């Protein structure tokens, strides 16, 4: 939906998307709660301190935008795609690719400008490559073929549409609901093993807001579920999600031992807060721009960033958490923290500088270690349900 706009036009449009929020003098004096819309159309509630933080974040976004536009001017529009070269190329080109790769990783962790997110995500995630393997009419043909079909997945999707970000000026309209429904129903027929799982509605909704077109949002959802995340996260028994919860508990013990010990003493199960984080990829928990910054890294570095971010939320509030005596207090601290994390750098600095090094391979090994116990537990639960059903 960007047409043939010039870089200057896009840059001007991008600057205009980020308004400076100016609370009134009465609000500053009284420190009352204020409401305003962020650049993705969500209504944000916070105090004047939150508004000031958001103004600072918007200025950082502007500065980061200027860096990206300068790189596009000097290196070319698709310079970030030139981070890998074959072994047959000259060493000088290899060095250039290495410099680009290091530069890109740092830049992405600092945030992709909103106007560039659609094309950078689409290219870096593998969505463009995935789309190129099928006929150009694939998405239209798919959505047309399934338009009148009714399945358990379509029924659940229809039930969840009005509950997906209610009040949003576009998502919560007939047009928004129709677009989201086509993406979700289409994917439920593309991958019958996944079908539809609650949580995907929030993920797909944010993808629609960023990618601008249904088809691009569909392919981003496809690459997310088929390549970026493990393939059992959204299956019927949610086995992948259960595995991730166990992996996270182990990582919390290793990375934040004092917090883990205290929470165990309180008999607090971290899945009470983390399940939604992993299923919705933080889209229901963090402010939209902070979520997008996590997703910037997710689509480039992989699912390990979800664990980095989850650990960082606990680490940031370590002192407060260690002072708690009740499970409810822990939940309140965590929810208050996530809802007011308007500065993405605050989260990501802790996630990458204070949590320590983790690789995708490390996470994969941890998952394989936990899978047998999870599958045995799910099997036992299924047998118990079947037994109860027979008794009735």
């Amino acid at each position: 939906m960007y047409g043939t706009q010039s870089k200057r036009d896009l840059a001007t449009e991008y600057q205009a998307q980020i308004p400076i929020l100016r609370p009134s003098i009465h609000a500053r004096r009284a420190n009352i709660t204020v409401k305003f819309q962020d650049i993705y159309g969500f209504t944000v509630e916070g105090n004047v301190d939150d508004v000031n933080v958001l103004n600072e974040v918007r200025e950082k976004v502007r500065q980061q935008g200027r860096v990206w536009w300068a790189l596009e001017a000097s290196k070319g529009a698709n310079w970030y795609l030139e981070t890998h070269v074959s072994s047959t190329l000259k060493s000088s080109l290899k060095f250039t690719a290495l410099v680009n790769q290091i530069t890109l990783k740092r830049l992405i962790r600092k945030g992709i400008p909103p106007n560039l997110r659609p094309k950078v995500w689409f290219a870096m995630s593998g969505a463009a490559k995935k789309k190129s393997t099928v006929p150009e009419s694939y998405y239209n043909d798919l959505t047309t073929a399934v338009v009148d079909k009714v399945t358990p997945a379509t029924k659940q999707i229809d039930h969840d549409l009005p509950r997906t970000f209610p009040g949003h000026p576009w998502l919560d309209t007939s047009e928004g609901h129709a677009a989201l429904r086509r993406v979700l129903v289409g994917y439920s027929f593309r991958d019958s093993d996944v079908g539809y799982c609650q949580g995907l509605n929030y993920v797909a909704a944010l993808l629609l807001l960023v990618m601008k077109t249904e088809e691009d949002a569909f392919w981003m959802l496809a690459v997310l579920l088929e390549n970026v995340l493990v393939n059992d996260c959204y299956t019927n028994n949610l086995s992948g999600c259960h595995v991730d919860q166990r992996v996270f508990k182990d990582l919390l013990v290793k990375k934040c031992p004092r917090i883990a010990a205290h929470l165990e003493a309180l008999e607090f199960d971290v899945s009470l807060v983390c399940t939604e984080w992993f299923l919705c990829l933080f889209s229901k928990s963090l402010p939209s721009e902070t979520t997008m910054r996590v997703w910037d890294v997710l689509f480039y570095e992989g699912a390990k960033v979800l664990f980095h971010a989850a650990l960082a939320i606990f680490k940031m509030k370590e002192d407060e958490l260690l002072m708690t005596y009740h499970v409810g207090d822990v939940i309140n601290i965590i929810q208050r923290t996530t809802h007011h994390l308007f500065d993405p750098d605050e989260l990501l600095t802790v996630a990458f500088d204070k949590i320590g090094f983790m690789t995708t391979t490390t996470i994969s090994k941890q998952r394989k270690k936990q899978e047998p116990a999870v599958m045995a537990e799910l099997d036992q639960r299924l047998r118990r349900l079947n037994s109860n059903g027979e008794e009735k």
Side-chain angles (χ1 to χ4, degrees):
M1 304 211 348
Y2 290 97
T4 57
Q5 287 173 287
S6 68
K7 288 182 181 178
R8 179 175 297 179
D9 291 338
L10 282 173
T12 302
E13 178 187 330
Y14 155 69
Q15 297 286 353
Q17 282 184 354
I18 310 173
I20 290 291
L21 307 170
R22 302 187 188 281
S24 69
I25 188 170
H26 302 291
R28 290 198 299 272
R29 286 176 179 171
N31 199 29
I32 62 173
T33 298
V34 291
K35 289 184 179 182
F36 43 89
Q37 275 193 350
D38 65 17
I39 63 173
Y40 291 102
F42 292 100
T43 299
V44 180
E45 245 184 63
N47 57 33
V48 176
D49 290 336
D50 293 328
V51 173
N52 291 334
V53 168
L54 274 168
N55 281 331
E56 291 172 4
V57 169
R58 279 154 175 69
E59 180 56 35
K60 289 179 186 177
V61 171
R62 286 193 184 87
Q63 293 171 4
Q64 189 70 350
R66 287 193 284 269
V67 172
W68 279 81
W69 291 116
L71 280 166
E72 288 221 341
S74 63
K75 292 176 177 285
N78 297 317
W79 70 271
Y80 47 83
L81 296 178
E82 300 170 5
T83 56
H84 297 92
V85 294
S86 69
S87 58
T88 59
L89 294 182
K90 295 179 181 180
S91 59
S92 61
L93 290 180
K94 291 182 188 177
F95 180 74
T96 299
L98 178 62
V99 170
N100 281 355
Q101 191 173 24
I102 294 171
T103 301
L104 182 60
K105 184 175 181 178
R106 289 175 178 170
L107 277 175
I108 286 177
R109 287 190 175 187
K110 288 183 178 180
I112 301 170
N115 251 24
L116 289 178
R117 269 198 182 111
K119 75 168 189 173
V120 175
W121 279 11
F122 206 63
M124 297 306 307
S125 66
K129 183 177 181 181
K130 187 176 286 290
K131 180 184 176 182
S132 70
T133 64
V134 298
E136 190 173 336
S137 61
Y138 178 93
Y139 178 71
N140 285 334
D141 292 345
L142 175 64
T143 54
T144 300
V146 304
V147 67
D148 293 321
K149 294 187 181 297
V150 178
T151 67
T154 64
K155 290 178 181 178
Q156 187 62 56
I157 289 168
D158 289 334
H159 181 68
D160 287 346
L161 288 175
R163 303 192 300 178
T164 307
F165 298 124
H168 188 276
W170 182 74
L171 289 171
D172 195 15
T173 64
S174 57
E175 181 187 355
H177 288 172
L180 182 57
R181 187 183 193 278
R182 284 189 290 270
V183 170
L184 292 172
V185 170
Y187 192 81
S188 75
F189 280 91
R190 173 181 168 87
D191 187 344
S192 57
D193 288 336
V194 170
Y196 171 73
C197 173
Q198 287 177 302
L200 290 180
N201 51 322
Y202 295 100
V203 175
L206 283 193
L207 288 174
L208 275 170
L209 291 181
V210 174
M211 302 307 296
K212 309 299 184 186
T213 71
E214 284 180 40
E215 187 170 5
D216 285 355
F218 172 85
W219 287 112
M220 286 300 299
L221 184 64
V223 81
L224 183 66
L225 298 180
E226 296 165 17
N227 300 94
V228 178
L229 303 175
V230 292
N231 59 10
D232 55 357
C233 279
Y234 295 97
T235 51
N236 287 336
N237 62 2
L238 295 178
S239 59
C241 185
H242 291 294
V243 171
D244 283 344
Q245 296 305 312
R246 284 175 173 259
V247 171
F248 179 73
K249 289 175 186 177
D250 279 356
L251 290 172
L252 192 66
V253 171
K254 293 175 183 176
K255 301 291 186 178
C256 308
R258 295 173 67 207
I259 297 174
H262 183 71
L263 296 181
E264 185 177 2
L266 293 179
E267 298 183 346
F268 176 79
D269 186 352
V270 294
S271 65
L272 289 173
V273 292
C274 293
T275 299
E276 183 179 274
W277 295 352
F278 284 93
L279 279 179
C280 300
L281 307 182
F282 295 101
S283 59
K284 280 187 68 180
S285 309
L286 295 174
S288 63
E289 180 59 22
T290 305
T291 300
M292 299 305 180
R293 287 283 301 277
V294 172
W295 287 14
D296 286 345
V297 185
L298 173 67
F299 288 124
Y300 184 62
E301 297 187 40
K304 68 174 185 176
V305 69
L306 302 177
F307 294 94
H308 274 281
L311 289 166
I313 291 168
F314 280 90
K315 184 67 175 177
M316 290 168 66
K317 294 299 175 180
E318 181 168 10
D319 291 340
E320 285 187 51
L321 290 171
L322 293 177
M323 295 295 291
T324 57
Y325 295 96
H326 304 286
V327 168
D329 296 334
V330 176
I331 294 175
N332 288 337
I333 290 172
I334 295 299
Q335 289 184 341
R336 186 172 66 247
T337 300
T338 54
H339 292 164
H340 290 270
L341 261 174
F342 294 110
D343 186 354
D345 289 330
E346 185 181 359
L347 173 67
L348 294 176
T349 298
V350 176
F352 293 114
D353 295 347
K354 296 187 179 180
I355 293 303
F357 185 68
M358 286 192 293
T359 65
T360 301
T361 302
T362 302
I363 300 298
S364 296
K365 288 180 179 178
Q366 289 292 320
R367 293 190 96 260
K368 287 181 179 179
K369 176 183 173 183
Q370 297 293 345
E371 279 174 359
V374 168
M375 297 312 295
E377 183 180 299
L378 292 174
D379 186 54
Q380 185 179 21
R381 186 183 303 174
L382 182 61
R383 286 201 302 268
R384 189 164 56 246
L385 287 172
N386 290 337
S387 175
N388 291 339
E390 290 173 2
E391 290 175 5
K392 292 179 181 178

